[in-house]
Amino acid sequence: MGNADGDGRVLDPVCGMRIAPATARGGAFEHRGTTYHFCSPGCREAFAADPDGWLARGPKGMPKAQPASITLGRSHKAAAPASGTGPPQHQHGAANAAAAPPIGGDPALPIYTCPMHPEVRQRGPGECPICGMALEPEAISLETPENVELRDMTRRFWIAAALSAPLLAMAMGEMLGAPWAHMLSVRTSSLLQLALATPVCTWAAWPFYVRFAASIRHRSPNMFTLIGLGVFVAYAYSVLATLVPAIFPPSFVTSMGTVAVYFEAAAVIVTLVLLGQVLELRARDRTGSAIRALLALAPETARRLRDDGGEEDVPLGHVHVGDRLRVRPGERIPVDGEVVDGASSVDESMVTGEPMPVRKQRGDRVVGATINGTGTLVMRAEHVGADTLLARIVNMVAQAQRSRAPIQRLADTVSGWFVPVVVAVAAVTFVIWSVVGPPPRTAHGLVNAIAVLIIACPCALGLATPMSVMVAMGRAAGAGVLFRNAEAIERIERVDTLVVDKTGTLTHGKPELGAVSWTDGFDEGSILTLAASLERGSEHPLASAVVAGAEARGIALETPLDFESVTGLGVRGRVSNRRVAIGNLAFMQREQIDAAPLQRRAETLQSEGHTVMYVGVDDAAAGLLGVTDPIKRTAPDAIRALRGAGVRVVMLTGDSAVTARIVARRLGIDEVIADVRPDEKLEAIARLQREGRIVAMAGDGINDAPALAKADVGIAMGTGTDVAMQSAAVTLVKGDLGGIVRARRLSRATMANIRQNLWFAFGYNALGVPVAAGVFYPVFGLLLSPMIAAAAMSFSSVSVIANALRLRRVEL
């Protein structure tokens, strides 16, 4: 056996695990006269696909590329090369996602994809040839990759800003007649502006030129086509005007004897666009961090029971289907499986969003990464690696974020025809003036062609959407609404269906003491004194609610004696020398306490959505405690306003149908989908979208993250989890559903403002193109110099900014 070591065990050539040949779960494979043994069928299949490749690399020499995979373990992370020629992707102990199509390039580099155009895939970072966006890694793992592009764009932005600020001050000083403007001669000022603008318009703007060239090469005009063209033309024209002003005819010479330059316009465009790129890259980087936080919920190790009765801690990646695992109190359950021994309460809020722990005993299913309570469980692993629910949630979040069709901004739509038309007009202008124009023909042709390009320069176009979005986001933040990007503002205007989670969204998500009942001989104060004093010894959320409720009522609590917790049933002990028991009906029966006098009241409370606890004192029924998750104060008005606006409201919750319908009835919600898991929430969103609905989803938990990412607009409660907020396009800071009403009103105002801005951006410039081309010269002798073109360009920018600032006064 070529892979044996000194103690008789052998090394799995794929993952490097040491195993006994007699108990190798993956069987054996013979290659060139040598037999190799494997820990799992997955390792054997990977080796069989390329034996020589695995033997050459060894388990520790495998490439790091993991396309379309979810890495869960922090150790034993084995992955085959992602190229079409290597062995299939493998993750120890589980089948991974479908292999990616063959892609050329260095197999050691990970695959990157465009978040808006997932069909674009390549090895290593780069830009999307369709939209110009930066590509992002397709694989998701716990390791935090260095964001080289964010670092590069940030450096370019700060240098560009530092150089553009004095450049803008000089140019504006000349226009406004500021005192410092006359300290330098016009010639010296132009040369200084050239020196300041050159690094900005060459080195800092280089990524935009690359994307501009790609848009031309791929015949896909976009914002970078206009930005690259505008910056280059404004800068190149200004360089010529500074260094060789003699090529320009006298009509373009100012009263100072020089030709006007436009360095500040080119530099400011570059700086603003770089700022937008930095903000975008940071937002996407935070999304990746949230997904990695999800992955980190899985424990690093699991305690496996051996066949000989012993126990061992093994890396999570070494857990196989069928393994028996011990889960001790307070630990996270390592993988999905079934309880085979023991009983405990498990906090499944990560999956269901519900704050109440769920009792688990033999035969019940448990979910990986959920938290075990005070009992000990022995479970059998059924889903491991990429097959666990946590891994599927991560995969669904990542895939849903990439599956959304991009919202094509109006500016990009117009750019599809505007850019070619402008370039064609400039070219025709140059040719006609060079052939039939007055002398000097070539100079007139060049200057008029440049005038056409400058008047079409996208200064205002670059500001039209960002200015409105920036002002709108500031206005929204003041109203407790955070938009992630312009797409979120655009989409929420068109939403016709709102899907809401219950716990944490419609309700507070934290149990509170809602009702207290008592029998003869007791009152509210005495019942709460005894019950809350005893519950001080418990860490159960229901106990915390009782204690908090008593303290809020000013009741002084005592120290319990002989406290005992009975898992899944209740607690008992002594308070003020009285025997007190608190729990469910089964616990009362076990304690031989007759709870019949309280059962009718208990049924009434349960029908109202309370979780009921019986209180027994000195072996007799004494009272009831009703704990509930109260509806948020603002929820009824918000739901009423949304329905009045024609929005269909659907409740989608992992809670029971009985509780969900009680809450829905109070809020006037007609449609309820209950008892659903995260993947079922995702499918419910997809079903509504297939019906032609524009769907917004409001939620707050990890279990809501896939649905938030899948929805046309994901809306997260600011009081919820970071993962939910990073999966959503909109965050309501105070967790107030009234924020959705305000967001829709602001969206309508913002989109109207953007459309007005685009009219300003295109209207002034498009009207000036025929004049710049010299159409009216034969009749009126009218030419539009680049100075006038720049003035029109600046006026459109001022109009855009002034119009966008009106959004600060929008009534929400």
Side-chain angles (χ1 to χ4, degrees):
M1 266 178 281
N3 56 339
D5 58 18
D7 63 358
R9 295 196 173 197
V10 298
L11 289 176
D12 184 321
V14 173
C15 67
M17 183 177 178
R18 296 173 66 249
I19 53 177
T23 59
R25 296 174 181 266
F29 183 86
E30 186 170 336
H31 177 64
R32 295 185 179 179
T34 302
T35 301
Y36 298 89
H37 297 269
F38 304 90
C39 68
S40 70
C43 281
R44 183 183 182 279
E45 291 172 7
F47 183 81
D50 183 22
D52 293 329
W54 285 109
L55 294 175
R57 288 185 300 271
K60 296 182 180 179
M62 291 175 288
K64 297 180 180 179
Q66 299 180 19
S69 68
I70 302 296
T71 303
L72 283 178
R74 262 160 283 203
S75 59
H76 195 66
K77 294 188 288 289
S83 64
T85 57
Q89 162 104 30
H90 169 67
Q91 188 171 28
H92 184 69
N96 259 329
I103 297 177
D106 185 355
L109 293 175
I111 292 180
Y112 280 66
T113 184
C114 175
M116 291 293 102
H117 301 89
E119 68 274 14
V120 175
R121 303 171 73 243
Q122 70 174 43
R123 298 234 176 241
E127 292 81 33
C128 174
I130 299 175
C131 65
M133 289 183 66
L135 303 181
E136 60 184 25
E138 191 174 60
I140 302 171
S141 64
L142 275 169
E143 289 74 22
T144 304
E146 182 183 12
N147 196 327
V148 178
E149 184 176 24
L150 174 58
R151 187 183 63 193
D152 178 62
M153 286 291 186
T154 302
R155 182 172 63 249
R156 291 177 191 270
F157 164 71
W158 284 115
I159 293 176
L163 294 173
S164 297
L167 185 61
L168 186 60
M170 292 175 63
M172 295 302 293
E174 292 178 1
M175 293 176 61
L176 301 176
W180 69 81
H182 304 292
M183 296 174 63
L184 300 174
S185 68
V186 175
R187 177 66 176 170
T188 303
S189 176
S190 296
L191 289 173
L192 183 56
Q193 289 183 52
L194 171 62
L196 290 170
T198 295
V200 179
C201 297
T202 54
W203 173 78
W206 184 251
F208 306 146
Y209 295 141
V210 171
R211 297 178 189 186
F212 163 71
S215 71
I216 300 300
R217 186 170 63 253
H218 295 283
R219 299 177 183 176
S220 179
N222 53 46
M223 283 295 295
F224 290 107
T225 311
L226 295 172
I227 291 166
L229 181 63
V231 170
F232 176 77
V233 169
Y235 173 71
Y237 170 81
S238 299
V239 170
L240 293 174
T242 300
L243 300 180
V244 284
I247 69 169
F248 297 95
S251 60
F252 294 96
V253 177
T254 68
S255 59
M256 304 296 293
T258 61
V259 179
V261 294
Y262 311 101
F263 289 117
E264 83 288 350
V268 169
I269 291 173
V270 172
T271 304
L272 290 176
V273 176
L274 281 171
L275 175 60
Q277 291 295 293
V278 169
L279 295 177
E280 174 193 316
L281 288 167
R282 283 182 179 175
R284 285 160 55 190
D285 197 51
R286 286 195 297 270
T287 300
S289 299
I291 295 179
R292 283 188 288 274
L294 254 182
L295 289 171
L297 291 176
E300 294 186 26
T301 62
R303 190 162 188 82
R304 184 164 60 193
L305 305 183
R306 297 197 301 265
D307 293 337
D308 61 5
E311 300 181 5
E312 60 180 344
D313 288 327
V314 298
L316 192 63
H318 287 180
V319 175
H320 300 81
V321 174
D323 284 349
R324 291 186 305 135
L325 310 171
R326 184 181 301 281
V327 186
R328 291 165 289 194
E331 290 184 334
R332 288 188 180 273
I333 292 172
V335 296
D336 299 356
E338 180 181 338
V339 176
V340 296
D341 191 22
S344 183
S345 292
V346 176
D347 179 359
E348 293 189 329
S349 59
M350 183 205 83
V351 177
T352 65
E354 302 310 312
M356 310 295 185
V358 180
R359 177 170 170 75
K360 300 291 183 179
Q361 54 191 4
R362 182 169 183 170
D364 291 335
R365 300 198 175 276
V366 288
V367 177
T370 55
I371 303 173
N372 185 28
T374 57
T376 297
L377 298 174
V378 175
M379 61 172 291
R380 180 173 58 250
E382 295 184 340
H383 299 286
V384 300
D387 291 334
T388 64
L389 180 61
L390 176 63
R392 295 202 303 273
I393 289 176
V394 172
N395 185 62
M396 285 187 291
V397 171
Q399 294 301 322
Q401 286 176 335
R402 293 173 184 153
S403 66
R404 292 185 298 207
I407 296 296
Q408 190 71 21
R409 291 191 181 95
L410 183 57
D412 284 336
T413 302
V414 177
S415 298
W417 58 264
F418 186 74
V419 174
V421 167
V422 168
V423 173
V425 170
V428 170
T429 298
F430 177 77
V431 171
I432 293 177
W433 277 88
S434 297
V435 174
V436 301
R441 292 188 178 92
T442 302
H444 276 104
L446 176 63
V447 171
N448 288 334
I450 289 176
V452 169
L453 292 174
I454 285 183
I455 202 165
C457 179
C459 290
L461 179 61
L463 292 172
T465 298
M467 274 302 301
S468 295
V469 169
M470 182 174 65
V471 176
M473 284 184 173
R475 179 71 180 89
V481 180
L482 302 180
F483 289 101
R484 172 179 289 188
N485 49 36
E487 284 82 2
I489 296 178
E490 183 174 352
R491 290 184 183 199
I492 201 169
E493 176 194 32
R494 298 182 290 112
V495 165
D496 57 23
T497 301
L498 173 65
V499 177
V500 288
D501 178 45
K502 180 183 74 69
T503 305
T505 303
L506 296 172
T507 65
H508 286 280
K510 183 178 180 181
E512 295 182 5
L513 181 63
V516 181
S517 295
W518 53 88
T519 58
D520 293 340
F522 295 93
D523 56 25
E524 182 182 66
S526 60
I527 283 291
L528 283 179
T529 298
L530 296 171
S533 297
L534 180 62
E535 292 285 25
R536 291 178 69 183
S538 174
E539 296 180 354
H540 197 285
L542 295 180
S544 300
V546 172
V547 173
E551 291 176 342
R553 290 166 171 81
I555 294 175
L557 304 184
E558 302 179 16
T559 302
L561 301 175
D562 302 328
F563 176 85
E564 181 182 357
S565 174
V566 183
T567 302
L569 294 176
V571 295
R572 59 191 171 196
R574 299 182 66 85
V575 178
S576 299
N577 291 323
R578 307 191 73 172
R579 295 187 304 277
V580 182
I582 306 173
N584 55 27
L585 183 59
F587 190 51
M588 294 296 105
Q589 294 169 348
R590 172 174 169 168
E591 296 295 304
Q592 298 183 348
I593 296 174
D594 182 13
L598 297 171
Q599 282 189 263
R600 180 172 295 179
R601 175 59 177 159
E603 291 171 358
T604 300
L605 290 175
Q606 288 170 339
S607 68
E608 295 173 353
H610 289 79
T611 297
V612 175
M613 293 179 288
Y614 291 83
V615 180
V617 179
D618 294 333
D619 300 327
L624 295 171
L625 302 176
V627 175
T628 185
D629 185 5
I631 293 173
K632 291 182 178 180
R633 180 180 55 83
T634 57
D637 290 341
I639 296 297
R640 194 158 42 246
L642 289 166
R643 295 186 66 187
V647 177
R648 172 186 178 188
V649 182
V650 180
M651 182 191 294
L652 183 65
T653 178
D655 203 355
S656 68
V658 174
T659 303
R661 288 195 181 96
I662 291 171
V663 174
R665 186 170 61 248
R666 292 178 182 173
L667 293 173
I669 299 175
D670 299 324
E671 188 170 351
V672 177
I673 305 173
D675 291 314
V676 291
R677 300 183 79 82
D679 53 339
E680 294 170 327
K681 286 189 175 186
L682 186 71
E683 173 54 32
I685 297 293
R687 176 176 56 80
L688 289 168
Q689 289 173 329
R690 287 194 297 268
E691 294 174 1
R693 295 280 180 171
I694 308 298
V695 182
M697 165 71 186
D700 75 319
I702 292 172
N703 60 307
D704 298 319
L708 290 172
K710 177 64 177 175
D712 295 285
V713 180
I715 303 171
M717 301 295 108
T719 51
T721 64
D722 288 341
V723 172
M725 285 185 277
Q726 295 297 348
S727 300
V730 181
T731 298
L732 307 182
V733 177
K734 299 178 182 179
D736 176 8
L737 278 182
I740 300 179
V741 181
R742 295 190 290 274
R744 280 174 54 81
R745 290 172 181 164
L746 182 62
S747 172
R748 286 194 295 270
T750 303
M751 293 312 300
N753 193 269
I754 288 174
R755 295 182 187 104
Q756 294 161 3
N757 282 348
L758 291 173
W759 187 91
F760 285 129
F762 283 112
Y764 288 112
N765 299 350
L767 290 173
V769 166
V771 180
V775 171
F776 302 108
Y777 181 79
V779 180
F780 303 105
L782 179 62
L783 285 177
L784 186 64
S785 75
M787 288 185 294
I788 303 300
M793 180 177 62
S794 300
F795 184 64
S796 63
S797 298
V798 171
S799 300
V800 163
I801 294 171
N803 190 53
L805 291 176
R806 293 192 307 112
L807 287 172
R808 293 187 300 183
R809 300 189 297 272
V810 171
E811 290 293 333
L812 301 181

